[in-house]
Amino acid sequence: MKQGRWILLLLLALLMAEGVRGENIARIDRIQPQALEQQAGQRAGLFSERRFESGGASMRVIGNGAWRITPRPGVREPLLVFYHPYTARISVQEPPGAAVRRQDIFSPDLDPRYSRRALVFPLSGDGPVHVMVEGARYPLRVAVEPGPAYTAADLWHVRLVLPAIGVVLGVSLAVLLFWAMLRDRVYLLYAGAMLFQLLYALCSYGEAYAWPGLSMLARFGAQGIWAVGTLATILLVYLWLDYAGLRKVTPRLAAAVRVVGAYGCGLTLVLLVSPWPADKAWFPDIANALFLLTNAIALVTLVVAWRRGQRHAAYVLIAWVPLLAFTMARALRFSVGERAEPWLEYGLPWVQAFTAVVLALGLADRMLTFRRERDRAKAHAERDGLTGVLNRGGIEHRLDWALIERERERMPVSLLFIDLDNFKQINDRHGHALGDACLRAVTRAVSEQFQYGDQLGRLGGEEFVLVLSGVELPAALRIAEQVGARIRRDCAYVEGVAVAVTASIGAAQARDGDSVASLIARADQAMYAAKRAGGDRVMAEDAPERVPESTKAPEGAPVD
């Protein structure tokens, strides 16, 4: 319910961001025809710009060349606004004969009252304005906006975009800290890909050139934007390969993604920054073609990986497909000279934030999956393959922790050393298979009755130890008697064979300065004392060795 309320509030904010939509332009006329070859070179990625051969009151889009724009009269504090100029350089002369004002998103001296989503020229009156456009790759949406209304709409723009930027930046830096601690490459790839995606968006909007430390990118102009976008694509390719484990699940498709998205884009990047060829006009079309091909192959690869059970491929699809759809819709909208609707213009940065959050959740799930696999491997390594209880290393590790807790909490720790009597004769008489069954029966008897499964371990052969945390020696002796009785009762017959398994048990309590080895050694000595006393009995450490009356049942007597 709370999530639905937040989504509703965001949608209402996007609708309120509609702001200024009236162009307030009486007429647009071309005053300097542009050569057809120049028009042909004016393109927006893969999308050709329309040819502006006619003008008039219906035109609200201009391209490269010289134009005369006539505002409608009566606009309060008129501003001539060119939306999403990208690489365009715009010169404005108003009135005719006045000084020419030039702007582009790379200019360091743009009016700080406005964001850089548009180039803004204050007008002094309602007369015609001469405009020269150079270097445009998208058709430019032009409008004459009332100053107060545009300022309010621009403030909404900043308020809506900055939180999304903060989400992407915050999550990326948090994941970067995880990489600094864990040194897992996928965290570094995630942080790099998200940060370069964010930087590409900021450069495209022009906002990066107003930020301290990033303004230096302005000197590279459009080529800097292209280089950042290409690096973001390369990082994303390697992120998908590692994040979704594509090399293992779909090796051939993963190789195709790497060749096109990493090697192909890398080659174009090298040519872009190298002095040859000098003319870089070819780059956007080639880069966009590689971008589209990379995403097409990557989508197929991720779907195949997901259908083959790779759950992290699903995280990538959930996170990346909406962003890809928004990016393509926005590019198509601009390529035909239409202003993006508020849901599209402001949805894009928020979808970027959504992508960053979903992928971060996938990283958390990936970490949890690895932890579970590690825990399973660790548990498998600590378990005895025959009986399922802890092996020697596992039980010694548990005993070590128990001794540490004893020192910290001042709680007693006791240890029972259990050795099966006459086990060699059982093996010799009935075979090792039945001997193994006897070992499993003993561990079931102890674990099920006393629920000490995680404290019972097999040292080897027929020797077991039972760690009793919080138990002093007198109580440990009583437990040992119960253990012996339970083994005597439940292991008299194993798999229908009368084997009458019994156990000699030694008990010892931890002392100050005890180690795992010393405590086991004292319990072992007590067990050997029980053996020498005839077996099938319990002996405490330091107890006098004597031969008490046997507690064994007479041969042939029933076992309770």
Side-chain angles (χ1 to χ4, degrees):
M1 184 65 69
K2 290 184 178 180
Q3 291 178 346
R5 243 193 327 260
W6 279 108
I7 294 174
L8 179 60
L9 289 174
L10 182 58
L11 290 175
L12 288 174
L14 294 180
L15 291 176
M16 292 176 64
E18 183 78 16
V20 185
R21 293 306 302 268
E23 284 81 4
N24 297 309
I25 293 176
R27 186 176 181 84
I28 298 177
D29 297 287
R30 184 187 289 280
I31 59 177
Q32 179 184 328
Q34 188 178 26
L36 291 179
E37 59 271 15
Q38 289 180 306
Q39 287 192 25
Q42 183 178 334
R43 299 168 64 84
L46 298 178
F47 312 108
S48 299
E49 181 184 340
R50 66 179 69 178
R51 293 185 177 182
F52 303 97
E53 297 178 349
S54 63
S58 62
M59 276 193 68
R60 297 297 179 265
V61 181
I62 64 175
N64 289 327
W67 305 84
R68 182 173 57 249
I69 299 175
T70 305
R72 284 200 179 109
V75 179
R76 181 185 175 190
E77 300 178 22
L79 301 174
L80 182 60
V81 181
F82 299 88
Y83 287 97
H84 304 292
Y86 192 46
T87 60
R89 298 179 300 278
I90 299 175
S91 303
V92 170
Q93 189 178 39
E94 183 264 344
V100 176
R101 292 174 285 169
R102 295 183 176 85
Q103 291 185 12
D104 57 44
I105 62 172
F106 311 109
S107 301
D109 54 353
L110 293 184
D111 193 332
R113 293 176 298 175
Y114 310 114
S115 70
R116 297 197 175 203
R117 66 173 177 149
L119 298 179
V120 180
F121 296 85
L123 300 180
S124 59
D126 300 332
V129 181
H130 288 185
V131 175
M132 174 65 73
V133 180
E134 302 171 284
R137 297 195 63 81
Y138 287 102
L140 298 180
R141 189 77 179 182
V142 61
V144 176
E145 309 283 16
Y150 179 79
T151 301
D154 198 50
L155 183 59
W156 265 108
H157 165 81
V158 173
R159 287 174 175 173
L160 287 174
V161 170
L162 280 183
I165 294 174
V167 170
V168 177
L169 187 61
V171 174
S172 300
L173 292 179
V175 173
L176 192 61
L177 291 177
F178 274 101
W179 170 78
M181 297 295 295
L182 301 176
R183 296 296 176 179
D184 188 343
R185 190 177 78 155
V186 72
Y187 295 101
L188 183 61
L189 288 172
Y190 170 92
M194 292 300 105
L195 290 174
F196 269 92
Q197 281 282 316
L198 178 60
L199 181 59
Y200 176 71
L202 290 174
C203 289
S204 299
Y205 277 110
E207 298 298 339
Y209 310 117
W211 285 29
L214 296 180
S215 57
M216 59 179 294
L217 295 175
R219 73 180 68 172
F220 302 106
Q223 293 186 17
I225 301 178
W226 301 341
V228 170
T230 304
L231 280 172
T233 301
I234 295 172
L235 288 171
L236 281 171
V237 166
Y238 282 109
L239 176 62
W240 301 158
L241 293 174
D242 284 12
Y243 188 104
L246 299 181
R247 292 184 181 91
K248 293 182 179 179
V249 182
T250 56
R252 292 184 180 178
L253 286 172
V257 173
R258 187 170 62 251
V259 168
V260 176
Y263 301 158
C265 290
L267 178 60
T268 60
L269 183 60
V270 170
L271 294 175
L272 177 66
V273 300
S274 65
W276 182 89
D279 183 8
K280 308 297 183 182
W282 56 270
F283 182 86
D285 287 340
I286 299 298
N288 276 301
L290 287 172
F291 173 79
L292 293 174
L293 184 58
T294 298
N295 279 277
I297 300 174
L299 284 175
V300 172
T301 305
L302 289 166
V303 169
V304 172
W306 169 59
R307 291 179 63 86
R308 292 180 180 177
Q310 176 51 267
R311 60 182 295 173
H312 296 109
Y315 278 98
V316 177
L317 289 171
I318 294 171
W320 186 244
V321 170
L323 181 59
L324 185 61
F326 266 79
T327 302
M328 296 302 298
R330 188 170 180 268
L332 285 169
R333 193 80 173 171
F334 290 161
S335 71
V336 296
E338 297 292 336
R339 279 183 61 181
E341 297 294 329
W343 66 268
L344 182 57
E345 181 173 357
Y346 299 109
L348 181 61
W350 280 103
V351 170
Q352 281 188 314
F354 168 80
T355 299
V357 171
V358 171
L359 291 178
L361 290 175
L363 284 178
D365 180 74
R366 185 174 181 270
M367 181 187 298
L368 183 60
T369 300
F370 287 166
R371 176 184 291 181
R372 287 171 178 166
E373 291 175 355
R374 181 203 64 190
D375 290 345
R376 283 196 295 267
K378 182 179 179 182
H380 181 73
E382 289 183 343
R383 294 286 170 180
D384 177 57
L386 176 61
T387 61
V389 298
L390 295 172
N391 58 23
R392 187 183 191 99
I395 195 61
E396 288 182 347
H397 180 70
R398 298 293 174 90
L399 180 56
D400 188 39
W401 270 108
L403 294 177
I404 293 173
E405 287 293 314
R406 174 187 176 276
E407 293 293 330
R408 184 167 56 193
E409 305 292 338
R410 305 309 301 172
M411 59 183 296
V413 174
S414 296
L415 184 71
L416 302 184
F417 197 114
I418 306 168
D419 187 278
L420 303 187
D421 297 323
N422 304 314
F423 187 71
K424 186 177 183 303
Q425 286 82 348
I426 294 176
N427 273 331
D428 293 343
R429 182 179 303 173
H430 303 288
H432 289 282
L434 187 64
D436 292 344
C438 291
L439 295 176
R440 288 191 290 268
V442 168
T443 58
R444 281 196 304 272
V446 178
S447 301
E448 292 174 4
Q449 175 70 19
F450 303 102
Q451 298 182 352
Y452 288 133
D454 286 338
Q455 304 298 326
L456 177 66
R458 181 186 178 201
L459 295 183
E462 68 273 20
E463 296 178 339
F464 299 85
V465 292
L466 182 61
V467 179
L468 302 174
S469 297
V471 177
E472 294 184 342
L473 186 58
L477 291 172
R478 291 193 295 272
I479 293 173
E481 294 288 354
Q482 294 171 352
V483 168
R486 182 63 185 264
I487 292 173
R488 190 181 309 121
R489 187 190 71 185
D490 290 359
C491 301
Y493 289 86
V494 175
E495 296 185 352
V497 179
V499 288
V501 177
T502 60
S504 298
I505 304 174
Q509 181 175 341
R511 306 168 183 170
D512 290 341
D514 252 338
S515 64
V516 171
S518 63
L519 181 57
I520 290 179
R522 291 207 314 278
D524 186 29
Q525 292 173 2
M527 183 274 296
Y528 273 110
K531 286 277 190 187
R532 287 191 292 269
D536 191 17
R537 68 192 69 243
V538 176
M539 295 288 286
E541 60 176 333
D542 301 330
E545 293 191 24
R546 58 188 180 85
V547 183
E549 183 179 350
S550 175
T551 58
K552 291 190 290 187
E555 186 174 353
V559 179
D560 295 330

